[in-house]
PDB file of all heavy atoms in Angstrom:
ATOM      1  N   PHE A 161     108.690  92.937 106.114  1.00 96.00           N
ATOM      2  CA  PHE A 161     107.624  92.678 105.146  1.00 96.00           C
ATOM      3  C   PHE A 161     107.003  93.974 104.678  1.00 96.00           C
ATOM      4  O   PHE A 161     106.719  94.162 103.504  1.00 96.00           O
ATOM      5  CB  PHE A 161     106.505  91.794 105.814  1.00 96.00           C
ATOM      6  CG  PHE A 161     105.263  91.685 104.938  1.00 96.00           C
ATOM      7  CD1 PHE A 161     105.245  90.764 103.898  1.00 96.00           C
ATOM      8  CD2 PHE A 161     104.164  92.419 105.131  1.00 96.00           C
ATOM      9  CE1 PHE A 161     104.105  90.632 103.133  1.00 96.00           C
ATOM     10  CE2 PHE A 161     103.044  92.376 104.346  1.00 96.00           C
ATOM     11  CZ  PHE A 161     103.000  91.440 103.341  1.00 96.00           C
ATOM     12  N   THR A 162     106.756  94.892 105.672  1.00 97.00           N
ATOM     13  CA  THR A 162     106.166  96.214 105.301  1.00 97.00           C
ATOM     14  C   THR A 162     107.168  97.042 104.410  1.00 97.00           C
ATOM     15  O   THR A 162     106.696  97.626 103.426  1.00 97.00           O
ATOM     16  CB  THR A 162     105.896  96.992 106.564  1.00 97.00           C
ATOM     17  OG1 THR A 162     104.930  96.293 107.405  1.00 97.00           O
ATOM     18  CG2 THR A 162     105.248  98.402 106.272  1.00 97.00           C
ATOM     19  N   LYS A 163     108.401  97.081 104.752  1.00 97.00           N
ATOM     20  CA  LYS A 163     109.417  97.823 104.016  1.00 97.00           C
ATOM     21  C   LYS A 163     109.559  97.330 102.584  1.00 97.00           C
ATOM     22  O   LYS A 163     109.780  98.137 101.656  1.00 97.00           O
ATOM     23  CB  LYS A 163     110.734  97.793 104.734  1.00 97.00           C
ATOM     24  CG  LYS A 163     110.772  98.513 106.067  1.00 97.00           C
ATOM     25  CD  LYS A 163     110.628 100.028 105.970  1.00 97.00           C
ATOM     26  CE  LYS A 163     111.824 100.617 105.241  1.00 97.00           C
ATOM     27  NZ  LYS A 163     111.704 102.090 105.157  1.00 97.00           N
ATOM     28  N   LEU A 164     109.401  96.015 102.375  1.00 97.00           N
ATOM     29  CA  LEU A 164     109.645  95.452 101.073  1.00 97.00           C
ATOM     30  C   LEU A 164     108.407  95.145 100.335  1.00 97.00           C
ATOM     31  O   LEU A 164     108.394  94.475  99.269  1.00 97.00           O
ATOM     32  CB  LEU A 164     110.542  94.198 101.221  1.00 97.00           C
ATOM     33  CG  LEU A 164     111.858  94.380 101.904  1.00 97.00           C
ATOM     34  CD1 LEU A 164     112.568  93.025 101.976  1.00 97.00           C
ATOM     35  CD2 LEU A 164     112.730  95.408 101.202  1.00 97.00           C
ATOM     36  N   SER A 165     107.242  95.582 100.830  1.00 96.00           N
ATOM     37  CA  SER A 165     105.926  95.200 100.290  1.00 96.00           C
ATOM     38  C   SER A 165     105.676  95.801  98.873  1.00 96.00           C
ATOM     39  O   SER A 165     104.788  95.332  98.171  1.00 96.00           O
ATOM     40  CB  SER A 165     104.829  95.591 101.274  1.00 96.00           C
ATOM     41  OG  SER A 165     104.809  97.006 101.388  1.00 96.00           O
ATOM     42  N   LEU A 166     106.419  96.837  98.550  1.00 97.00           N
ATOM     43  CA  LEU A 166     106.177  97.500  97.247  1.00 97.00           C
ATOM     44  C   LEU A 166     107.062  96.949  96.114  1.00 97.00           C
ATOM     45  O   LEU A 166     107.112  97.512  95.018  1.00 97.00           O
ATOM     46  CB  LEU A 166     106.401  98.970  97.367  1.00 97.00           C
ATOM     47  CG  LEU A 166     105.434  99.705  98.353  1.00 97.00           C
ATOM     48  CD1 LEU A 166     105.677 101.237  98.312  1.00 97.00           C
ATOM     49  CD2 LEU A 166     103.940  99.341  98.023  1.00 97.00           C
ATOM     50  N   ALA A 167     107.792  95.851  96.380  1.00 97.00           N
ATOM     51  CA  ALA A 167     108.680  95.325  95.352  1.00 97.00           C
ATOM     52  C   ALA A 167     107.881  94.863  94.118  1.00 97.00           C
ATOM     53  O   ALA A 167     108.346  95.106  93.002  1.00 97.00           O
ATOM     54  CB  ALA A 167     109.461  94.126  95.948  1.00 97.00           C
ATOM     55  N   ALA A 168     106.690  94.260  94.336  1.00 97.00           N
ATOM     56  CA  ALA A 168     105.905  93.765  93.217  1.00 97.00           C
ATOM     57  C   ALA A 168     105.476  94.926  92.289  1.00 97.00           C
ATOM     58  O   ALA A 168     105.652  94.899  91.054  1.00 97.00           O
ATOM     59  CB  ALA A 168     104.735  92.929  93.656  1.00 97.00           C
ATOM     60  N   PRO A 169     104.857  96.028  92.856  1.00 96.00           N
ATOM     61  CA  PRO A 169     104.513  97.136  91.977  1.00 96.00           C
ATOM     62  C   PRO A 169     105.720  97.838  91.331  1.00 96.00           C
ATOM     63  O   PRO A 169     105.650  98.360  90.223  1.00 96.00           O
ATOM     64  CB  PRO A 169     103.711  98.091  92.837  1.00 96.00           C
ATOM     65  CG  PRO A 169     103.972  97.626  94.227  1.00 96.00           C
ATOM     66  CD  PRO A 169     104.245  96.180  94.202  1.00 96.00           C
ATOM     67  N   VAL A 170     106.843  97.837  92.046  1.00 97.00           N
ATOM     68  CA  VAL A 170     108.091  98.447  91.457  1.00 97.00           C
ATOM     69  C   VAL A 170     108.472  97.631  90.216  1.00 97.00           C
ATOM     70  O   VAL A 170     108.872  98.138  89.198  1.00 97.00           O
ATOM     71  CB  VAL A 170     109.191  98.525  92.485  1.00 97.00           C
ATOM     72  CG1 VAL A 170     110.557  98.818  91.839  1.00 97.00           C
ATOM     73  CG2 VAL A 170     108.881  99.507  93.530  1.00 97.00           C
ATOM     74  N   ILE A 171     108.365  96.293  90.334  1.00 96.00           N
ATOM     75  CA  ILE A 171     108.733  95.443  89.191  1.00 96.00           C
ATOM     76  C   ILE A 171     107.716  95.527  88.042  1.00 96.00           C
ATOM     77  O   ILE A 171     108.047  95.726  86.893  1.00 96.00           O
ATOM     78  CB  ILE A 171     108.815  93.974  89.674  1.00 96.00           C
ATOM     79  CG1 ILE A 171     110.046  93.808  90.609  1.00 96.00           C
ATOM     80  CG2 ILE A 171     108.908  92.988  88.490  1.00 96.00           C
ATOM     81  CD1 ILE A 171     110.082  92.466  91.250  1.00 96.00           C
ATOM     82  N   ALA A 182     114.776  96.403  93.045  1.00 97.00           N
ATOM     83  CA  ALA A 182     113.363  96.515  93.329  1.00 97.00           C
ATOM     84  C   ALA A 182     113.038  96.566  94.817  1.00 97.00           C
ATOM     85  O   ALA A 182     112.259  97.351  95.332  1.00 97.00           O
ATOM     86  CB  ALA A 182     112.587  95.315  92.700  1.00 97.00           C
ATOM     87  N   ARG A 185     114.342  99.776  96.179  1.00 97.00           N
ATOM     88  CA  ARG A 185     113.416 100.867  95.819  1.00 97.00           C
ATOM     89  C   ARG A 185     112.248 100.909  96.830  1.00 97.00           C
ATOM     90  O   ARG A 185     111.812 101.950  97.292  1.00 97.00           O
ATOM     91  CB  ARG A 185     112.977 100.778  94.405  1.00 97.00           C
ATOM     92  CG  ARG A 185     112.025 101.767  93.927  1.00 97.00           C
ATOM     93  CD  ARG A 185     112.570 103.215  94.050  1.00 97.00           C
ATOM     94  NE  ARG A 185     111.708 104.201  93.439  1.00 97.00           N
ATOM     95  CZ  ARG A 185     111.736 105.463  93.736  1.00 97.00           C
ATOM     96  NH1 ARG A 185     112.683 105.944  94.550  1.00 97.00           N
ATOM     97  NH2 ARG A 185     110.915 106.342  93.174  1.00 97.00           N
ATOM     98  N   SER A 186     111.727  99.726  97.114  1.00 97.00           N
ATOM     99  CA  SER A 186     110.589  99.619  98.020  1.00 97.00           C
ATOM    100  C   SER A 186     110.973 100.099  99.400  1.00 97.00           C
ATOM    101  O   SER A 186     110.250 100.835 100.061  1.00 97.00           O
ATOM    102  CB  SER A 186     110.109  98.141  98.110  1.00 97.00           C
ATOM    103  OG  SER A 186     109.077  97.968  99.064  1.00 97.00           O
ATOM    104  N   TRP A 187     112.200  99.771  99.838  1.00 96.00           N
ATOM    105  CA  TRP A 187     112.705 100.179 101.175  1.00 96.00           C
ATOM    106  C   TRP A 187     112.814 101.699 101.191  1.00 96.00           C
ATOM    107  O   TRP A 187     112.416 102.351 102.206  1.00 96.00           O
ATOM    108  CB  TRP A 187     114.040  99.524 101.408  1.00 96.00           C
ATOM    109  CG  TRP A 187     114.525  99.624 102.827  1.00 96.00           C
ATOM    110  CD1 TRP A 187     115.110 100.757 103.399  1.00 96.00           C
ATOM    111  CD2 TRP A 187     114.460  98.656 103.817  1.00 96.00           C
ATOM    112  NE1 TRP A 187     115.409 100.464 104.741  1.00 96.00           N
ATOM    113  CE2 TRP A 187     115.065  99.193 105.000  1.00 96.00           C
ATOM    114  CE3 TRP A 187     114.060  97.354 103.867  1.00 96.00           C
ATOM    115  CZ2 TRP A 187     115.175  98.438 106.226  1.00 96.00           C
ATOM    116  CZ3 TRP A 187     114.175  96.590 105.029  1.00 96.00           C
ATOM    117  CH2 TRP A 187     114.742  97.185 106.159  1.00 96.00           C
ATOM    118  N   LEU A 189     111.194 103.945  99.231  1.00 95.00           N
ATOM    119  CA  LEU A 189     109.890 104.624  99.105  1.00 95.00           C
ATOM    120  C   LEU A 189     109.114 104.655 100.437  1.00 95.00           C
ATOM    121  O   LEU A 189     108.468 105.680 100.716  1.00 95.00           O
ATOM    122  CB  LEU A 189     109.025 103.893  98.047  1.00 95.00           C
ATOM    123  CG  LEU A 189     109.379 104.130  96.616  1.00 95.00           C
ATOM    124  CD1 LEU A 189     108.544 103.216  95.718  1.00 95.00           C
ATOM    125  CD2 LEU A 189     109.096 105.583  96.166  1.00 95.00           C
ATOM    126  N   THR A 190     109.279 103.624 101.246  1.00 95.00           N
ATOM    127  CA  THR A 190     108.487 103.555 102.507  1.00 95.00           C
ATOM    128  C   THR A 190     109.209 104.235 103.700  1.00 95.00           C
ATOM    129  O   THR A 190     108.694 104.240 104.795  1.00 95.00           O
ATOM    130  CB  THR A 190     108.226 102.058 102.876  1.00 95.00           C
ATOM    131  OG1 THR A 190     109.496 101.388 102.948  1.00 95.00           O
ATOM    132  CG2 THR A 190     107.315 101.397 101.862  1.00 95.00           C
ATOM    133  N   LEU A 197     102.140 102.574 107.357  1.00 96.00           N
ATOM    134  CA  LEU A 197     101.802 101.622 106.346  1.00 96.00           C
ATOM    135  C   LEU A 197     101.484 100.255 106.969  1.00 96.00           C
ATOM    136  O   LEU A 197     100.595  99.595 106.564  1.00 96.00           O
ATOM    137  CB  LEU A 197     103.000 101.489 105.371  1.00 96.00           C
ATOM    138  CG  LEU A 197     102.836 100.485 104.213  1.00 96.00           C
ATOM    139  CD1 LEU A 197     101.627 100.880 103.366  1.00 96.00           C
ATOM    140  CD2 LEU A 197     104.067 100.459 103.333  1.00 96.00           C
ATOM    141  N   TYR A 201      98.015  98.076 106.497  1.00 96.00           N
ATOM    142  CA  TYR A 201      97.926  96.672 106.096  1.00 96.00           C
ATOM    143  C   TYR A 201      97.194  95.884 107.157  1.00 96.00           C
ATOM    144  O   TYR A 201      96.380  94.970 106.880  1.00 96.00           O
ATOM    145  CB  TYR A 201      99.340  96.063 105.879  1.00 96.00           C
ATOM    146  CG  TYR A 201     100.062  96.592 104.696  1.00 96.00           C
ATOM    147  CD1 TYR A 201     101.437  96.601 104.654  1.00 96.00           C
ATOM    148  CD2 TYR A 201      99.384  96.991 103.533  1.00 96.00           C
ATOM    149  CE1 TYR A 201     102.143  97.009 103.542  1.00 96.00           C
ATOM    150  CE2 TYR A 201     100.066  97.414 102.413  1.00 96.00           C
ATOM    151  CZ  TYR A 201     101.418  97.416 102.400  1.00 96.00           C
ATOM    152  OH  TYR A 201     102.074  97.816 101.307  1.00 96.00           O
ATOM    153  N   VAL A 253      95.256  97.594  96.568  1.00 97.00           N
ATOM    154  CA  VAL A 253      95.927  98.296  97.689  1.00 97.00           C
ATOM    155  C   VAL A 253      97.377  98.580  97.349  1.00 97.00           C
ATOM    156  O   VAL A 253      97.890  99.713  97.556  1.00 97.00           O
ATOM    157  CB  VAL A 253      95.871  97.325  98.900  1.00 97.00           C
ATOM    158  CG1 VAL A 253      96.833  97.820 100.005  1.00 97.00           C
ATOM    159  CG2 VAL A 253      94.428  97.289  99.424  1.00 97.00           C
ATOM    160  N   LEU A 254      98.107  97.562  96.799  1.00 96.00           N
ATOM    161  CA  LEU A 254      99.513  97.775  96.482  1.00 96.00           C
ATOM    162  C   LEU A 254      99.680  98.884  95.416  1.00 96.00           C
ATOM    163  O   LEU A 254     100.617  99.732  95.473  1.00 96.00           O
ATOM    164  CB  LEU A 254     100.161  96.489  95.984  1.00 96.00           C
ATOM    165  CG  LEU A 254     100.424  95.411  97.019  1.00 96.00           C
ATOM    166  CD1 LEU A 254     100.874  94.135  96.333  1.00 96.00           C
ATOM    167  CD2 LEU A 254     101.356  95.821  98.086  1.00 96.00           C
ATOM    168  N   ALA A 255      98.857  98.891  94.414  1.00 95.00           N
ATOM    169  CA  ALA A 255      98.891  99.913  93.353  1.00 95.00           C
ATOM    170  C   ALA A 255      98.662 101.271  93.950  1.00 95.00           C
ATOM    171  O   ALA A 255      99.325 102.271  93.570  1.00 95.00           O
ATOM    172  CB  ALA A 255      97.917  99.542  92.261  1.00 95.00           C
ATOM    173  N   VAL A 257      98.953 102.266  97.120  1.00 96.00           N
ATOM    174  CA  VAL A 257     100.061 102.648  98.049  1.00 96.00           C
ATOM    175  C   VAL A 257     101.295 103.072  97.264  1.00 96.00           C
ATOM    176  O   VAL A 257     101.900 104.057  97.563  1.00 96.00           O
ATOM    177  CB  VAL A 257     100.386 101.468  99.018  1.00 96.00           C
ATOM    178  CG1 VAL A 257     101.629 101.690  99.749  1.00 96.00           C
ATOM    179  CG2 VAL A 257      99.220 101.237  99.931  1.00 96.00           C
ATOM    180  N   HIS A 258     101.611 102.330  96.234  1.00 96.00           N
ATOM    181  CA  HIS A 258     102.744 102.629  95.379  1.00 96.00           C
ATOM    182  C   HIS A 258     102.619 103.995  94.718  1.00 96.00           C
ATOM    183  O   HIS A 258     103.552 104.819  94.707  1.00 96.00           O
ATOM    184  CB  HIS A 258     102.901 101.594  94.277  1.00 96.00           C
ATOM    185  CG  HIS A 258     103.963 101.882  93.231  1.00 96.00           C
ATOM    186  ND1 HIS A 258     103.596 102.484  92.024  1.00 96.00           N
ATOM    187  CD2 HIS A 258     105.272 101.695  93.223  1.00 96.00           C
ATOM    188  CE1 HIS A 258     104.724 102.648  91.344  1.00 96.00           C
ATOM    189  NE2 HIS A 258     105.763 102.173  92.034  1.00 96.00           N
ATOM    190  N   PHE A 261     103.125 106.777  97.371  1.00 95.00           N
ATOM    191  CA  PHE A 261     104.513 106.904  97.707  1.00 95.00           C
ATOM    192  C   PHE A 261     105.382 107.551  96.632  1.00 95.00           C
ATOM    193  O   PHE A 261     106.306 108.284  96.887  1.00 95.00           O
ATOM    194  CB  PHE A 261     105.129 105.563  98.185  1.00 95.00           C
ATOM    195  CG  PHE A 261     104.834 105.235  99.630  1.00 95.00           C
ATOM    196  CD1 PHE A 261     104.162 104.114  99.935  1.00 95.00           C
ATOM    197  CD2 PHE A 261     105.350 105.992 100.622  1.00 95.00           C
ATOM    198  CE1 PHE A 261     103.869 103.841 101.301  1.00 95.00           C
ATOM    199  CE2 PHE A 261     105.129 105.782 101.973  1.00 95.00           C
ATOM    200  CZ  PHE A 261     104.336 104.591 102.303  1.00 95.00           C
TER     201      PHE A 261
END
Side-chain angles (χ1 to χ4, degrees):
F161 173 81
T162 301
K163 294 290 294 180
L164 303 180
S165 61
L166 298 184
V170 168
I171 291 172
R185 179 60 174 161
S186 175
W187 193 281
L189 284 173
T190 56
L197 181 58
Y201 288 154
V253 167
L254 288 176
V257 169
H258 172 265
F261 276 117

